[in-house]
């Protein structure tokens, strides 16, 4: 087992990894920008190294700084968390060249899944159902027109390098296609330096269902059921639950097996998530994330596992302890993302935390790097905490969420907490009757 791990991240996910290491008796190294000298992850780690000025590109995304922090501290492995360098194949390649273990899949698998066209082709070949669309990239508008006419509108133009909801444009009819095609291309070029796009049938009322998978890197893989992340604003998830109100045990076992078999066949190592749109009983693959997801705690709650400890074990070459026959979900878990944002515009609201109190009690988990007196810097993601509840069934989980929200105190800044009270009052949320468009419609109605 590793003696020392460096965590190439900040905020709640850095704490999540430090906690896993502490329980395994592994020393931890935090890295931080000058804006994060007082951050909780720096305080909680055994050692810390300053890796640069506030902007992410000069610190948490700086490969040379992180590799040298690893070398000066003597850390043998790096956990990337999510975001930042977690899906950067070039970074993983550099670590492979420096004999530093990356806690995650191989650079080859990251590269394969990071390009959405290659990912789709790979998954289709492995028997995973995909959204109908172009085979590979669409070179020009004429080809886009031909494909869209063939498929029927609406269609969506997506960047092969896309992520975070960027480089994606909807065309409801032929007259919108030109604009959507050029728009997706230029957005992709600006955001990712790659303007290759592809075209997909636009599904009108799907749910976003994702399957958690885990591979040992030697051909054995398991699935840990689904998470329903349909409640999204601007393609960003805000509320996630497991199991999905729309998936029964038989469907879970069927799609889960397809996914586990696919990643087993690939020889995939570590945690991964296969994302689908789900409509009228059919699954359509959209992408695979080759890292730990923000919403992994809902899976940990219902499957009673520690995904981060398992990632560390497998990266260290120890056998995977997960076995499909033992993996049965128990009860119901919900996560809500607490962002430092002012409603109703979701405007960033950084600032000093005048008071902080985390909810507790049976079935409540609060993953957050906040503390009283902490100043949230304006440079990074607005996620400041994840509140996760687990109970015997969905109605009890909803009741527990309401109770836990009532205990949460974050004074001094604005947060998205009021939105969750609002959601809990909605009949559709209580019954689980929502699609990926539900939240946008709900927010538009309120304006
Ligand atoms: P990103 O990597 O930018 O998050 P995804 O491919 O995961 O992009 O898609 C993000 C979201 O966009 C999905 O959860 C869904 O809400 C919407 N979306 C993507 N593809 C389609 C499609 N073919 N039809 C309808 N909605 C889609």
């Amino acid at each position: 087992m590793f003696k020392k791990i460096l965590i190439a991240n900040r905020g709640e996910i850095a704490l999540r990894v430090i906690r896993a290491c502490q329980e395994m008796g592994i020393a931890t190294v935090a890295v931080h920008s000058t804006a994060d000298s007082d951050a909780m992850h720096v305080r909680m780690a055994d050692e810390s190294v300053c890796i640069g000025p506030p902007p992410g590109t000069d610190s948490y995304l700086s490969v040379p700084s992180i590799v040298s922090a690893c070398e000066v501290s003597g850390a043998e492995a790096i956990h990337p968390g999510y975001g930042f360098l977690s899906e950067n194949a070039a970074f993983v390649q550099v670590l492979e060249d420096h004999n530093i273990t990356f806690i995650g899949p191989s650079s080859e698998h990251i590269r394969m899944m990071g390009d959405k066209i290659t990912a789709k082709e790979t998954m289709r070949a492995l028997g995973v159902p995909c959204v109908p669309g172009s085979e590979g990239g669409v070179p020009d508008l004429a080809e886009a027109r031909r494909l869209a006419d063939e498929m029927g509108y609406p269609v969506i133009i997506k960047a092969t390098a896309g992520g975070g909801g960027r480089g994606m444009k909807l065309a409801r009819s032929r007259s919108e296609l030109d604009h959507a095609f050029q728009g997706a291309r230029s957005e992709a070029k600006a955001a990712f330096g790659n303007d290759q796009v592809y075209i997909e049938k636009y599904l009108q009322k799907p749910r976003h269902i994702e399957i958690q998978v885990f591979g040992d890197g030697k051909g054995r893989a398991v699935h840990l059921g689904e998470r329903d992340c349909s409640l999204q604003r601007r393609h960003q998830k805000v509320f996630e639950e497991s199991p999905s109100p729309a998936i029964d045990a038989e469907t879970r076992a069927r799609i889960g097996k397809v996914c586990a078999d696919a990643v087993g066949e690939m020889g995939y190592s570590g945690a991964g998530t296969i994302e689908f749109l789900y409509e009228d009983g059919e699954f359509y693959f959209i992408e695979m994330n080759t890292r730990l997801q923000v919403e992994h705690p809902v899976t940990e709650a219902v499957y009673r596992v520690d995904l981060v400890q398992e990632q560390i074990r497998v990266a260290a070459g120890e056998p995977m302890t997960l076995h499909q026959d033992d993996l049965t979900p128990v009860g119901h878990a919900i996560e809500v993302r607490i962002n430092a944002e002012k409603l109703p515009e979701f405007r960033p609201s950084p600032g000093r935390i005048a008071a902080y109190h985390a909810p507790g009690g049976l079935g409540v988990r609060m993953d957050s790097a906040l503390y009283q007196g902490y100043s949230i810097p304006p440079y990074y993601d607005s996620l400041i905490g994840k509140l996760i509840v687990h109970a015997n069934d969905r109605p009890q989980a909803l009741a527990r969420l309401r109770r836990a929200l009532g205990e949460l105190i974050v004074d001094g800044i604005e947060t998205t907490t009021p939105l969750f009270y609002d959601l809990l009052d909605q009949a559709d949320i209580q019954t689980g009757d929502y699609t990926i468009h539900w939240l946008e419609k709900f927010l538009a109605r309120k304006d």
Side-chain angles (χ1 to χ4, degrees):
M1 184 41 67
F2 306 117
K3 291 195 175 59
K4 198 186 265 191
I5 289 176
L6 181 142
I7 297 104
N9 216 305
R10 63 183 301 284
E12 69 84 20
I13 195 60
L15 265 55
R16 171 70 189 87
V17 179
I18 292 170
R19 287 173 171 144
C21 291
Q22 286 174 345
E23 291 177 17
M24 297 173 86
I26 301 168
T28 52
V29 183
V31 293
H32 66 93
S33 70
T34 51
D36 274 344
S37 305
D38 291 332
M40 191 56 121
H41 74 284
V42 175
R43 298 180 175 199
M44 267 179 59
D46 296 305
E47 304 170 44
S48 63
V49 182
C50 181
I51 50 165
T57 41
D58 301 328
S59 49
Y60 298 101
L61 287 167
S62 167
V63 174
S65 309
I66 289 170
V67 170
S68 40
C70 212
E71 286 184 336
V72 297
S73 64
E76 306 147 83
I78 294 187
H79 196 298
Y82 51 69
F84 293 124
L85 295 168
S86 62
E87 289 178 294
N88 185 316
F91 171 61
V92 178
Q93 186 74 61
V94 170
L95 297 188
E96 284 164 8
D97 296 344
H98 281 76
N99 273 326
I100 300 168
T101 304
F102 177 72
I103 302 174
S106 65
S107 57
E108 182 205 340
H109 285 148
I110 296 174
R111 195 168 286 119
M112 196 186 272
M113 294 302 148
D115 182 280
K116 292 190 180 188
I117 292 174
T118 318
K120 235 177 130 171
E121 280 168 358
T122 308
M123 286 298 173
R124 191 182 290 123
L126 289 166
V128 177
C130 296
V131 188
S134 54
E135 301 232 344
V138 177
D140 52 38
L141 186 60
E143 177 69 0
R145 277 216 183 102
R146 195 185 65 72
L147 287 163
D149 285 344
E150 198 179 289
M151 257 184 287
Y153 287 90
V155 298
I156 186 165
I157 312 287
K158 296 170 74 170
T160 191
R166 283 175 304 172
M168 228 184 304
K169 297 279 181 226
L170 170 66
R172 294 188 185 277
S173 63
R174 206 163 205 254
S175 64
E176 288 180 9
L177 190 67
D178 188 351
H179 190 70
F181 186 79
Q182 307 303 350
R185 273 204 127 155
S186 50
E187 202 171 295
K189 180 88 192 157
F192 314 108
N194 174 354
D195 69 354
Q196 192 173 41
V197 295
Y198 62 108
I199 186 166
E200 267 179 2
K201 179 90 193 141
Y202 183 74
L203 301 173
Q204 310 251 21
K205 49 175 177 55
R207 298 180 80 110
H208 174 114
I209 306 282
E210 55 185 38
I211 306 292
Q212 176 72 53
V213 291
F214 208 103
D216 72 352
K218 298 174 194 125
R220 189 166 81 80
V222 296
H223 73 86
L224 296 98
E226 79 284 5
R227 293 182 287 261
D228 195 320
C229 312
S230 302
L231 289 174
Q232 302 180 359
R233 176 179 173 271
R234 302 199 174 156
H235 303 303
Q236 297 292 315
K237 301 160 186 169
V238 304
F239 173 112
E240 302 105 344
E241 60 182 316
S242 182
S244 165
I247 304 292
D248 60 21
E250 189 262 327
T251 308
R252 173 175 313 117
R254 181 169 52 84
I255 191 68
K257 182 172 180 347
V258 169
C259 292
D261 287 352
V263 295
E265 181 80 15
M266 282 165 62
Y268 186 84
S269 176
T273 296
I274 305 190
E275 297 192 340
F276 293 95
L277 296 176
Y278 177 73
E279 188 173 86
D280 298 331
E282 300 290 335
F283 287 91
Y284 302 95
F285 169 78
I286 46 173
E287 68 165 344
M288 177 169 181
N289 291 317
T290 51
R291 55 168 165 83
L292 195 69
Q293 306 258 118
V294 174
E295 59 273 22
H296 76 277
V298 294
T299 300
E300 294 187 321
V302 293
Y303 282 90
R304 294 145 298 148
V305 296
D306 187 320
L307 288 170
V308 176
Q309 291 196 10
E310 195 69 13
Q311 285 185 300
I312 294 170
R313 272 194 291 272
V314 167
E318 292 193 356
M320 178 165 80
T321 65
L322 304 172
H323 297 276
Q324 197 66 62
D325 291 347
D326 307 337
L327 293 169
T328 309
V330 173
H332 197 94
I334 301 173
E335 172 183 282
V336 294
R337 298 194 191 190
I338 314 286
N339 288 350
E341 288 169 357
K342 184 172 171 1
L343 299 172
E345 315 83 15
F346 294 85
R347 199 163 6 94
S349 167
R352 187 170 177 280
I353 304 296
Y356 174 65
H357 177 77
L362 184 64
V364 175
R365 168 175 173 184
M366 182 78 195
D367 277 16
S368 171
L370 291 189
Y371 61 86
Q372 186 171 328
Y374 174 62
S375 281
I376 299 170
Y379 308 101
Y380 314 106
D381 196 84
S382 62
L383 181 75
I384 52 165
K386 307 187 307 203
L387 170 57
I388 304 105
V389 295
H390 182 225
N392 288 333
D393 58 26
R394 192 168 185 278
Q396 288 183 51
L398 291 167
R400 185 158 285 166
L401 177 59
R402 190 187 292 274
R403 188 271 291 169
L405 284 168
E407 291 180 23
L408 174 65
I409 296 172
V410 182
D411 281 348
I413 58 157
E414 300 282 342
T415 76
T416 48
T417 304
L419 171 66
F420 301 115
Y421 280 112
D422 252 11
L423 291 182
L424 286 169
D425 287 337
Q426 305 307 311
D428 290 343
I429 301 302
Q430 288 160 8
T431 56
D433 184 14
Y434 55 81
T435 72
I436 60 168
H437 303 299
W438 189 94
L439 184 60
E440 295 276 8
K441 281 193 198 128
F442 174 71
L443 294 171
R445 241 193 348 254
K446 285 177 58 98
D447 285 346

